[in-house]
Amino acid sequence: MGRVFAIGDIHGCYNTLKTLLFDEIKITKDDELIFLGDLIDRGLKSKKVLKLILRLQKNGFNVSCLMGNHEIMLLKSIKSEVDFKHWIKYGGKETLESFKVSHPKYIKDKYLDFVSGFKNYIEFKDFILVHGGLNFEIDNPLLDLDSMAWIRNNKVDSSKINNRRIIVGHTPSTLKDIKKSLKTDRLLLDGGCVYKNKEDLGYLVALELNEMSLFYYKNID
């Protein structure tokens, strides 16, 4: 059986992503790669990140991407001036610069179509993978798609998801907290890669789900 990797928020950190995938994890076409969302914004190389993942797909790698709140902000900003101004404040400016355009409507369709096709969540026997989390205030948390991208709720009611655990990105966490979370119902995989100047953050993190092996690499972008 091939390895299954869940990979935390990249935020345009292309060089770090490339090193983690090819030098640390040493991915093969037998592996399954699941990116937990927020591939773009804040960092300087969002286009290169998307281009790399598209190339992996084209070359026969098993790749899935989850919809993060930053992907949602990008897509909404195409048609809404209010959303555009909001997105620019939260990392959209760097994404536009990486594409060398002034507005997201000028980004090539192949990238916008790719991002539009990101999934809200992915289910496994023991886990549900989602960007932000699940809304356990409702009977079926898998119906609240908006919360999946935005929520930062520590509470997990595993009885509502067939006693599975959730794996999330979205909330930057220290390696210490990430390692502690692996024994809980809410596994954290956002090492705050783009925040390399903040103490205890600045890591791109991946978890191999079969062996529960943690991989991480310090931001080199």
Side-chain angles (χ1 to χ4, degrees):
M1 183 169 63
R3 300 177 298 173
V4 181
F5 288 98
I7 300 160
D9 303 34
I10 303 163
H11 279 303
C13 297
Y14 166 75
N15 294 320
T16 313
L17 172 64
K18 197 170 64 163
T19 304
L20 180 72
L21 293 180
F22 298 114
D23 297 343
E24 290 293 306
I25 295 174
K26 297 182 170 65
I27 57 170
T28 75
K29 290 182 182 176
D30 292 326
D31 298 327
E32 181 174 356
L33 307 175
I34 301 165
F35 295 95
L36 294 178
D38 283 5
L39 282 62
I40 61 168
D41 293 355
R42 301 196 191 280
L44 300 179
K45 296 175 181 170
S46 290
K47 180 181 180 181
K48 281 192 163 186
V49 167
L50 295 179
K51 200 172 181 178
L52 171 59
I53 296 171
L54 277 166
R55 193 166 71 241
L56 288 174
Q57 282 189 335
K58 187 178 179 183
N59 290 339
F61 285 84
N62 184 357
V63 176
S64 302
C65 299
L66 295 178
M67 185 69 77
N69 57 305
H70 282 264
E71 282 82 24
I72 289 173
M73 285 192 282
L74 160 65
L75 295 172
K76 281 187 169 181
S77 72
I78 295 170
K79 293 182 178 176
S80 163
E81 192 61 25
V82 172
D83 288 321
F84 174 70
K85 287 176 179 174
H86 178 76
W87 176 57
I88 287 295
K89 283 191 220 168
Y90 289 94
K93 179 172 173 284
E94 290 83 357
T95 294
L96 291 180
E97 286 172 357
S98 79
F99 279 96
K100 295 183 169 58
V101 295
S102 59
H103 195 278
K105 66 186 176 185
Y106 300 122
I107 294 174
K108 285 184 179 177
D109 285 347
K110 74 172 182 178
Y111 296 106
L112 296 177
D113 292 345
F114 174 52
V115 171
S116 298
F118 285 7
K119 301 175 181 180
N120 296 108
Y121 63 94
I122 291 175
E123 297 182 87
F124 286 94
K125 178 173 171 282
D126 297 317
F127 302 105
I128 295 177
L129 282 64
V130 63
H131 177 65
L134 297 174
N135 176 10
F136 289 100
E137 301 300 319
I138 60 175
D139 290 338
N140 185 354
L142 298 183
L143 295 180
D144 185 349
L145 302 184
D146 193 53
S147 287
M148 291 177 189
W150 289 97
I151 203 167
R152 298 187 197 272
N153 185 0
N154 293 325
K155 177 189 168 192
V156 174
D157 184 348
S158 56
S159 68
K160 292 185 175 180
I161 51 172
N162 294 326
N163 295 312
R164 289 174 289 183
R165 302 198 283 163
I166 65 172
I167 298 175
V168 302
H170 188 46
T171 301
S173 305
T174 66
L175 288 178
K176 182 180 177 184
D177 285 342
I178 287 170
K179 289 172 183 175
K180 278 197 326 198
S181 78
L182 300 185
K183 298 186 171 97
T184 73
D185 287 336
R186 182 171 173 267
L187 288 68
L188 310 171
L189 290 187
D190 179 5
C193 185
V194 77
Y195 301 113
K196 64 181 179 181
N197 296 320
K198 289 191 180 180
E199 190 177 359
D200 297 328
L201 295 177
Y203 291 90
L204 185 58
V205 178
L207 178 67
E208 200 287 305
L209 303 189
N210 296 323
E211 300 292 333
M212 295 300 287
S213 303
L214 194 68
F215 296 79
Y216 47 88
Y217 204 81
K218 184 74 173 168
N219 185 326
I220 55 171
D221 284 84

Short mmCIF file of all heavy atoms in Angstrom, two decimals, residues 80-122:
data_model
loop_
_atom_site.label_atom_id
_atom_site.label_comp_id
_atom_site.label_asym_id
_atom_site.label_seq_id
_atom_site.Cartn_x
_atom_site.Cartn_y
_atom_site.Cartn_z
N SER A 80 -16.29 40.49 -7.19
CA SER A 80 -16.73 41.47 -6.18
C SER A 80 -15.60 42.40 -5.81
O SER A 80 -14.54 41.96 -5.36
CB SER A 80 -17.24 40.72 -4.94
OG SER A 80 -17.30 41.59 -3.83
N GLU A 81 -15.83 43.69 -5.97
CA GLU A 81 -14.82 44.69 -5.62
C GLU A 81 -14.58 44.73 -4.11
O GLU A 81 -13.46 44.91 -3.65
CB GLU A 81 -15.27 46.08 -6.12
CG GLU A 81 -14.18 47.14 -6.07
CD GLU A 81 -12.97 46.82 -6.94
OE1 GLU A 81 -13.11 46.07 -7.94
OE2 GLU A 81 -11.88 47.31 -6.61
N VAL A 82 -15.64 44.53 -3.33
CA VAL A 82 -15.50 44.50 -1.86
C VAL A 82 -14.62 43.32 -1.45
O VAL A 82 -13.70 43.47 -0.63
CB VAL A 82 -16.90 44.40 -1.19
CG1 VAL A 82 -16.74 44.18 0.31
CG2 VAL A 82 -17.71 45.65 -1.46
N ASP A 83 -14.91 42.15 -2.02
CA ASP A 83 -14.11 40.97 -1.71
C ASP A 83 -12.67 41.12 -2.20
O ASP A 83 -11.74 40.64 -1.55
CB ASP A 83 -14.75 39.71 -2.33
CG ASP A 83 -16.02 39.30 -1.61
OD1 ASP A 83 -16.06 39.39 -0.37
OD2 ASP A 83 -16.99 38.90 -2.28
N PHE A 84 -12.51 41.79 -3.33
CA PHE A 84 -11.17 42.02 -3.88
C PHE A 84 -10.33 42.85 -2.91
O PHE A 84 -9.19 42.50 -2.60
CB PHE A 84 -11.28 42.73 -5.23
CG PHE A 84 -9.95 43.14 -5.81
CD1 PHE A 84 -9.06 42.20 -6.28
CD2 PHE A 84 -9.60 44.48 -5.86
CE1 PHE A 84 -7.83 42.59 -6.82
CE2 PHE A 84 -8.38 44.88 -6.39
CZ PHE A 84 -7.49 43.92 -6.87
N LYS A 85 -10.91 43.93 -2.40
CA LYS A 85 -10.17 44.79 -1.47
C LYS A 85 -9.82 44.05 -0.18
O LYS A 85 -8.74 44.23 0.39
CB LYS A 85 -10.99 46.05 -1.16
CG LYS A 85 -11.04 47.04 -2.32
CD LYS A 85 -11.92 48.22 -2.02
CE LYS A 85 -11.94 49.19 -3.19
NZ LYS A 85 -12.89 50.30 -2.99
N HIS A 86 -10.73 43.21 0.26
CA HIS A 86 -10.49 42.40 1.47
C HIS A 86 -9.35 41.41 1.23
O HIS A 86 -8.44 41.28 2.06
CB HIS A 86 -11.78 41.66 1.84
CG HIS A 86 -11.65 40.76 3.03
ND1 HIS A 86 -11.61 41.23 4.32
CD2 HIS A 86 -11.55 39.42 3.11
CE1 HIS A 86 -11.48 40.21 5.15
NE2 HIS A 86 -11.45 39.09 4.45
N TRP A 87 -9.41 40.72 0.09
CA TRP A 87 -8.40 39.70 -0.25
C TRP A 87 -7.00 40.32 -0.35
O TRP A 87 -6.02 39.75 0.14
CB TRP A 87 -8.79 39.02 -1.56
CG TRP A 87 -7.81 38.02 -2.07
CD1 TRP A 87 -7.34 36.91 -1.42
CD2 TRP A 87 -7.18 38.01 -3.35
NE1 TRP A 87 -6.46 36.21 -2.23
CE2 TRP A 87 -6.34 36.88 -3.41
CE3 TRP A 87 -7.24 38.87 -4.46
CZ2 TRP A 87 -5.57 36.57 -4.53
CZ3 TRP A 87 -6.49 38.56 -5.58
CH2 TRP A 87 -5.66 37.42 -5.61
N ILE A 88 -6.92 41.50 -0.96
CA ILE A 88 -5.63 42.17 -1.13
C ILE A 88 -4.94 42.40 0.22
O ILE A 88 -3.73 42.24 0.35
CB ILE A 88 -5.83 43.53 -1.86
CG1 ILE A 88 -6.14 43.30 -3.34
CG2 ILE A 88 -4.59 44.42 -1.73
CD1 ILE A 88 -5.03 42.66 -4.12
N LYS A 89 -5.73 42.71 1.24
CA LYS A 89 -5.18 42.96 2.58
C LYS A 89 -4.63 41.69 3.23
O LYS A 89 -3.80 41.77 4.13
CB LYS A 89 -6.27 43.54 3.49
CG LYS A 89 -6.59 44.99 3.25
CD LYS A 89 -7.47 45.48 4.40
CE LYS A 89 -8.55 46.40 3.87
NZ LYS A 89 -9.57 46.67 4.88
N TYR A 90 -5.14 40.55 2.81
CA TYR A 90 -4.80 39.29 3.48
C TYR A 90 -3.96 38.35 2.61
O TYR A 90 -4.09 37.14 2.68
CB TYR A 90 -6.08 38.59 3.96
CG TYR A 90 -6.73 39.31 5.11
CD1 TYR A 90 -7.73 40.25 4.88
CD2 TYR A 90 -6.31 39.11 6.41
CE1 TYR A 90 -8.31 40.95 5.92
CE2 TYR A 90 -6.88 39.79 7.47
CZ TYR A 90 -7.88 40.72 7.22
OH TYR A 90 -8.44 41.41 8.27
N GLY A 91 -3.11 38.94 1.80
CA GLY A 91 -2.15 38.13 1.05
C GLY A 91 -2.40 38.06 -0.44
O GLY A 91 -1.59 37.50 -1.18
N GLY A 92 -3.51 38.61 -0.90
CA GLY A 92 -3.81 38.57 -2.32
C GLY A 92 -2.83 39.37 -3.17
O GLY A 92 -2.54 39.02 -4.31
N LYS A 93 -2.31 40.44 -2.58
CA LYS A 93 -1.35 41.29 -3.30
C LYS A 93 -0.16 40.48 -3.78
O LYS A 93 0.27 40.59 -4.94
CB LYS A 93 -0.90 42.43 -2.38
CG LYS A 93 0.12 43.38 -2.98
CD LYS A 93 0.33 44.56 -2.02
CE LYS A 93 1.47 45.46 -2.49
NZ LYS A 93 2.80 44.87 -2.23
N GLU A 94 0.38 39.63 -2.90
CA GLU A 94 1.55 38.81 -3.26
C GLU A 94 1.20 37.79 -4.34
O GLU A 94 2.01 37.49 -5.22
CB GLU A 94 2.09 38.10 -2.01
CG GLU A 94 2.76 39.03 -1.01
CD GLU A 94 1.80 39.72 -0.07
OE1 GLU A 94 0.56 39.54 -0.21
OE2 GLU A 94 2.26 40.46 0.80
N THR A 95 -0.03 37.28 -4.29
CA THR A 95 -0.45 36.32 -5.32
C THR A 95 -0.54 36.99 -6.68
O THR A 95 -0.06 36.45 -7.69
CB THR A 95 -1.80 35.68 -4.94
OG1 THR A 95 -1.61 34.90 -3.76
CG2 THR A 95 -2.33 34.80 -6.05
N LEU A 96 -1.13 38.18 -6.74
CA LEU A 96 -1.20 38.91 -8.00
C LEU A 96 0.19 39.20 -8.55
O LEU A 96 0.44 39.07 -9.75
CB LEU A 96 -1.99 40.21 -7.82
CG LEU A 96 -3.49 40.08 -7.54
CD1 LEU A 96 -4.11 41.46 -7.37
CD2 LEU A 96 -4.19 39.31 -8.65
N GLU A 97 1.10 39.58 -7.66
CA GLU A 97 2.47 39.88 -8.10
C GLU A 97 3.15 38.63 -8.66
O GLU A 97 3.91 38.71 -9.62
CB GLU A 97 3.28 40.45 -6.93
CG GLU A 97 2.88 41.89 -6.59
CD GLU A 97 3.54 42.40 -5.31
OE1 GLU A 97 4.25 41.62 -4.64
OE2 GLU A 97 3.32 43.58 -4.98
N SER A 98 2.84 37.48 -8.09
CA SER A 98 3.46 36.24 -8.59
C SER A 98 2.95 35.90 -9.99
O SER A 98 3.66 35.30 -10.79
CB SER A 98 3.21 35.08 -7.62
OG SER A 98 1.92 34.54 -7.76
N PHE A 99 1.72 36.30 -10.29
CA PHE A 99 1.15 36.08 -11.62
C PHE A 99 1.40 37.26 -12.57
O PHE A 99 1.04 37.19 -13.75
CB PHE A 99 -0.36 35.84 -11.52
CG PHE A 99 -0.73 34.43 -11.14
CD1 PHE A 99 -0.99 34.11 -9.81
CD2 PHE A 99 -0.80 33.43 -12.09
CE1 PHE A 99 -1.32 32.81 -9.45
CE2 PHE A 99 -1.13 32.13 -11.74
CZ PHE A 99 -1.39 31.82 -10.41
N LYS A 100 1.98 38.34 -12.00
CA LYS A 100 2.24 39.56 -12.79
C LYS A 100 0.96 40.12 -13.42
O LYS A 100 0.93 40.49 -14.61
CB LYS A 100 3.30 39.30 -13.87
CG LYS A 100 4.67 38.97 -13.29
CD LYS A 100 5.71 38.79 -14.38
CE LYS A 100 7.13 38.72 -13.84
NZ LYS A 100 7.37 37.64 -12.87
N VAL A 101 -0.11 40.17 -12.62
CA VAL A 101 -1.38 40.76 -13.07
C VAL A 101 -1.89 41.72 -11.99
O VAL A 101 -1.44 41.69 -10.85
CB VAL A 101 -2.46 39.68 -13.35
CG1 VAL A 101 -2.04 38.79 -14.52
CG2 VAL A 101 -2.76 38.84 -12.12
N SER A 102 -2.84 42.56 -12.38
CA SER A 102 -3.36 43.57 -11.45
C SER A 102 -4.67 43.15 -10.81
O SER A 102 -5.14 43.76 -9.85
CB SER A 102 -3.58 44.90 -12.19
OG SER A 102 -4.49 44.71 -13.27
N HIS A 103 -5.29 42.09 -11.36
CA HIS A 103 -6.60 41.64 -10.86
C HIS A 103 -6.72 40.14 -11.12
O HIS A 103 -6.21 39.64 -12.14
CB HIS A 103 -7.72 42.40 -11.58
CG HIS A 103 -9.05 42.27 -10.92
ND1 HIS A 103 -9.86 41.17 -11.11
CD2 HIS A 103 -9.71 43.10 -10.06
CE1 HIS A 103 -10.97 41.33 -10.39
NE2 HIS A 103 -10.91 42.48 -9.75
N PRO A 104 -7.39 39.40 -10.21
CA PRO A 104 -7.48 37.95 -10.40
C PRO A 104 -8.20 37.52 -11.67
O PRO A 104 -7.98 36.40 -12.15
CB PRO A 104 -8.24 37.47 -9.15
CG PRO A 104 -8.88 38.68 -8.57
CD PRO A 104 -7.99 39.83 -8.94
N LYS A 105 -9.03 38.40 -12.24
CA LYS A 105 -9.71 38.02 -13.49
C LYS A 105 -8.73 37.85 -14.64
O LYS A 105 -9.06 37.25 -15.67
CB LYS A 105 -10.78 39.05 -13.85
CG LYS A 105 -10.27 40.43 -14.21
CD LYS A 105 -11.42 41.40 -14.40
CE LYS A 105 -10.93 42.81 -14.67
NZ LYS A 105 -12.03 43.79 -14.74
N TYR A 106 -7.50 38.33 -14.46
CA TYR A 106 -6.48 38.19 -15.51
C TYR A 106 -5.60 36.95 -15.31
O TYR A 106 -4.71 36.69 -16.12
CB TYR A 106 -5.60 39.44 -15.57
CG TYR A 106 -6.37 40.71 -15.87
CD1 TYR A 106 -6.34 41.79 -14.99
CD2 TYR A 106 -7.15 40.81 -17.02
CE1 TYR A 106 -7.05 42.96 -15.25
CE2 TYR A 106 -7.87 41.97 -17.29
CZ TYR A 106 -7.81 43.03 -16.40
OH TYR A 106 -8.52 44.18 -16.65
N ILE A 107 -5.82 36.23 -14.23
CA ILE A 107 -5.09 34.97 -14.03
C ILE A 107 -5.59 33.95 -15.05
O ILE A 107 -6.80 33.86 -15.31
CB ILE A 107 -5.28 34.45 -12.59
CG1 ILE A 107 -4.63 35.41 -11.59
CG2 ILE A 107 -4.70 33.04 -12.43
CD1 ILE A 107 -4.89 35.06 -10.13
N LYS A 108 -4.70 33.18 -15.63
CA LYS A 108 -5.10 32.22 -16.67
C LYS A 108 -6.13 31.23 -16.15
O LYS A 108 -6.07 30.78 -15.01
CB LYS A 108 -3.87 31.46 -17.19
CG LYS A 108 -2.99 32.29 -18.10
CD LYS A 108 -1.86 31.46 -18.66
CE LYS A 108 -0.99 32.29 -19.61
NZ LYS A 108 0.15 31.51 -20.12
N ASP A 109 -7.06 30.86 -17.05
CA ASP A 109 -8.16 29.97 -16.68
C ASP A 109 -7.67 28.65 -16.11
O ASP A 109 -8.32 28.07 -15.23
CB ASP A 109 -9.06 29.69 -17.89
CG ASP A 109 -9.95 30.88 -18.23
OD1 ASP A 109 -10.04 31.80 -17.39
OD2 ASP A 109 -10.53 30.88 -19.32
N LYS A 110 -6.54 28.15 -16.58
CA LYS A 110 -6.10 26.83 -16.10
C LYS A 110 -5.83 26.85 -14.61
O LYS A 110 -6.06 25.85 -13.91
CB LYS A 110 -4.87 26.33 -16.88
CG LYS A 110 -3.56 27.00 -16.55
CD LYS A 110 -2.41 26.26 -17.24
CE LYS A 110 -1.06 26.86 -16.90
NZ LYS A 110 0.05 26.12 -17.52
N TYR A 111 -5.39 27.98 -14.08
CA TYR A 111 -5.15 28.09 -12.64
C TYR A 111 -6.46 28.31 -11.89
O TYR A 111 -6.69 27.70 -10.84
CB TYR A 111 -4.18 29.23 -12.34
CG TYR A 111 -2.81 29.02 -12.92
CD1 TYR A 111 -2.37 29.73 -14.03
CD2 TYR A 111 -1.92 28.10 -12.36
CE1 TYR A 111 -1.10 29.54 -14.56
CE2 TYR A 111 -0.65 27.90 -12.88
CZ TYR A 111 -0.26 28.62 -13.98
OH TYR A 111 1.01 28.41 -14.51
N LEU A 112 -7.32 29.18 -12.41
CA LEU A 112 -8.60 29.45 -11.75
C LEU A 112 -9.49 28.21 -11.77
O LEU A 112 -10.16 27.91 -10.77
CB LEU A 112 -9.31 30.63 -12.43
CG LEU A 112 -8.60 31.98 -12.34
CD1 LEU A 112 -9.37 33.04 -13.12
CD2 LEU A 112 -8.41 32.41 -10.88
N ASP A 113 -9.50 27.49 -12.88
CA ASP A 113 -10.29 26.26 -12.95
C ASP A 113 -9.77 25.21 -11.97
O ASP A 113 -10.55 24.49 -11.34
CB ASP A 113 -10.27 25.68 -14.37
CG ASP A 113 -11.02 26.55 -15.38
OD1 ASP A 113 -11.78 27.43 -14.93
OD2 ASP A 113 -10.82 26.36 -16.59
N PHE A 114 -8.45 25.15 -11.86
CA PHE A 114 -7.83 24.21 -10.93
C PHE A 114 -8.27 24.51 -9.50
O PHE A 114 -8.75 23.63 -8.77
CB PHE A 114 -6.31 24.30 -11.07
CG PHE A 114 -5.53 23.49 -10.08
CD1 PHE A 114 -5.79 22.14 -9.88
CD2 PHE A 114 -4.51 24.07 -9.34
CE1 PHE A 114 -5.06 21.39 -8.97
CE2 PHE A 114 -3.78 23.33 -8.43
CZ PHE A 114 -4.05 21.99 -8.24
N VAL A 115 -8.15 25.78 -9.10
CA VAL A 115 -8.52 26.18 -7.74
C VAL A 115 -10.02 25.99 -7.50
O VAL A 115 -10.43 25.53 -6.42
CB VAL A 115 -8.09 27.64 -7.46
CG1 VAL A 115 -8.65 28.13 -6.14
CG2 VAL A 115 -6.57 27.76 -7.48
N SER A 116 -10.83 26.30 -8.49
CA SER A 116 -12.29 26.13 -8.36
C SER A 116 -12.68 24.68 -8.09
O SER A 116 -13.72 24.41 -7.48
CB SER A 116 -13.01 26.60 -9.64
OG SER A 116 -12.78 27.96 -9.86
N GLY A 117 -11.84 23.75 -8.52
CA GLY A 117 -12.14 22.34 -8.36
C GLY A 117 -11.65 21.73 -7.05
O GLY A 117 -11.80 20.52 -6.83
N PHE A 118 -11.08 22.55 -6.17
CA PHE A 118 -10.61 22.01 -4.88
C PHE A 118 -11.80 21.44 -4.10
O PHE A 118 -12.92 21.96 -4.16
CB PHE A 118 -9.94 23.11 -4.04
CG PHE A 118 -8.57 23.49 -4.51
CD1 PHE A 118 -8.02 23.00 -5.69
CD2 PHE A 118 -7.79 24.37 -3.74
CE1 PHE A 118 -6.74 23.36 -6.10
CE2 PHE A 118 -6.51 24.74 -4.14
CZ PHE A 118 -5.99 24.24 -5.32
N LYS A 119 -11.55 20.40 -3.33
CA LYS A 119 -12.60 19.73 -2.56
C LYS A 119 -12.79 20.41 -1.20
O LYS A 119 -11.88 21.04 -0.68
CB LYS A 119 -12.22 18.25 -2.35
CG LYS A 119 -12.02 17.49 -3.65
CD LYS A 119 -11.53 16.08 -3.38
CE LYS A 119 -11.30 15.33 -4.70
NZ LYS A 119 -10.83 13.95 -4.48
N ASN A 120 -13.99 20.23 -0.64
CA ASN A 120 -14.24 20.80 0.69
C ASN A 120 -13.69 19.91 1.80
O ASN A 120 -13.23 20.41 2.83
CB ASN A 120 -15.74 21.01 0.89
CG ASN A 120 -16.31 22.04 -0.07
OD1 ASN A 120 -17.03 21.70 -1.00
ND2 ASN A 120 -15.97 23.30 0.14
N TYR A 121 -13.74 18.61 1.59
CA TYR A 121 -13.21 17.67 2.59
C TYR A 121 -12.94 16.34 1.90
O TYR A 121 -13.45 16.06 0.81
CB TYR A 121 -14.17 17.49 3.77
CG TYR A 121 -15.51 16.89 3.39
CD1 TYR A 121 -15.73 15.51 3.48
CD2 TYR A 121 -16.57 17.70 2.95
CE1 TYR A 121 -16.95 14.95 3.14
CE2 TYR A 121 -17.79 17.15 2.61
CZ TYR A 121 -17.99 15.78 2.71
OH TYR A 121 -19.19 15.23 2.36
N ILE A 122 -12.13 15.51 2.56
CA ILE A 122 -11.83 14.16 2.07
C ILE A 122 -11.98 13.20 3.24
O ILE A 122 -11.50 13.47 4.34
CB ILE A 122 -10.41 14.08 1.48
CG1 ILE A 122 -10.34 14.90 0.18
CG2 ILE A 122 -9.99 12.64 1.22
CD1 ILE A 122 -8.95 14.99 -0.43
#
